[in-house]
Amino acid sequence: MAFNVAIDGPAGAGKSTIAKAVAKNRGLIYVDTGAMYRAVALYILRTGTNPEDTDAVSKVCVGADITIAYEEGIQVVYLNGENVNAFLRTEEVGNMASKTSAIPAVRAHLLNLQKNLAALNDCIMDGRDIGTVVLPDAQLKVFLTASSEVRAKRRFDELTAKGEQPDFDKIKADIEQRDYQDSHRAIAPLKQASDAVLVDSSDMNIEQVIARISELCDERA
């Protein structure tokens, strides 16, 4: 049976960064669910389907078979057998993904693909509903969070390091608004699974968080 790790948590908690590091440490496949949504969006673009026509998108999206593999340490996303890494970060694909990711049929199709991936591979996934919806039987579930103040400060420092002049109060307000929206949305809202381990990183550095979750992996393996 494959070993699966589910990491959920609010925006800005560092889920992807932590998940990637733990995957590398423990030899797991990091399943980038966002990249999978972009791959579906690319497929829909290539078929010329109007994203506003939800019925058409619902019918077309099932033709997208998406898998993730690691080749020479690099994550490769395959769409119907084609390496599509070079196409996933374009603005056109991003815009399409934002429109189609909310369509129930798209989410249902990707949910099946993600479950199949997890059934066949030792992997780690992060998101808002991994432990509650995507991998409810994962051997390890983690709810990674930090106070909105700390998450805002991390984002503020990140933008400042890039030479920008961000408004801390606005960043914090945006994060709190995102938290509310994510936890109150109709489909797969953000919530901690009943059997998830809470890891609050407010007073931890990244190395400490990676060490803590890696330790939990060892305990559950």
Side-chain angles (χ1 to χ4, degrees), residues 7-180:
I7 299 182
D8 291 310
K15 299 182 297 297
S16 295
T17 299
I18 298 300
K20 289 174 185 175
V22 172
K24 186 174 182 180
N25 285 354
R26 290 296 176 269
L28 306 172
I29 289 179
Y30 169 64
V31 178
D32 187 341
T33 55
M36 294 182 77
Y37 275 102
R38 283 176 173 264
V40 169
L42 175 63
Y43 181 77
I44 293 169
L45 268 172
R46 288 178 170 180
T47 62
T49 307
N50 180 355
E52 308 300 332
D53 187 342
T54 55
D55 287 339
V57 171
S58 299
K59 291 175 182 175
V60 165
C61 72
V62 295
D65 181 44
I66 301 157
T67 57
I68 292 178
Y70 276 82
E71 297 175 3
E72 298 180 0
I74 297 173
Q75 178 181 270
V76 178
V77 180
Y78 285 96
L79 170 61
N80 294 332
E82 176 193 353
N83 178 342
V84 293
N85 277 18
F87 306 101
L88 297 185
R89 297 299 167 185
T90 66
E91 187 173 353
E92 186 180 25
V93 168
N95 289 337
M96 178 63 83
S98 68
K99 293 175 182 176
T100 57
S101 62
I103 297 173
V106 172
R107 299 186 70 87
H109 179 56
L110 278 171
L111 176 61
N112 286 333
L113 293 175
Q114 289 158 8
K115 284 179 176 290
N116 289 339
L117 251 174
L120 298 171
N121 301 278
D122 292 344
C123 69
I124 184 168
M125 293 189 203
D126 69 280
R128 307 285 190 274
D129 63 348
I130 307 301
T132 54
V133 177
V134 182
L135 300 179
D137 298 321
Q139 288 88 342
L140 172 62
K141 300 176 191 175
V142 173
F143 193 82
L144 178 64
T145 190
S147 69
S148 58
E149 185 89 14
V150 167
R151 285 182 282 140
K153 179 65 165 59
R154 290 171 181 168
R155 181 60 176 158
F156 178 87
D157 291 344
E158 181 183 326
L159 293 172
T160 300
K162 293 179 180 178
E164 299 182 29
Q165 296 181 314
D167 182 328
F168 177 82
D169 291 336
K170 183 178 186 306
I171 292 173
K172 185 169 181 285
D174 287 345
I175 283 175
E176 290 172 346
Q177 176 64 21
R178 177 78 175 274
D179 287 351
Y180 180 85

Side-chain angles (χ1 to χ4, degrees), residues 54 69-70 181 194 198:
T54 55
Y70 276 82
Q181 291 173 343
S194 60
L198 176 66

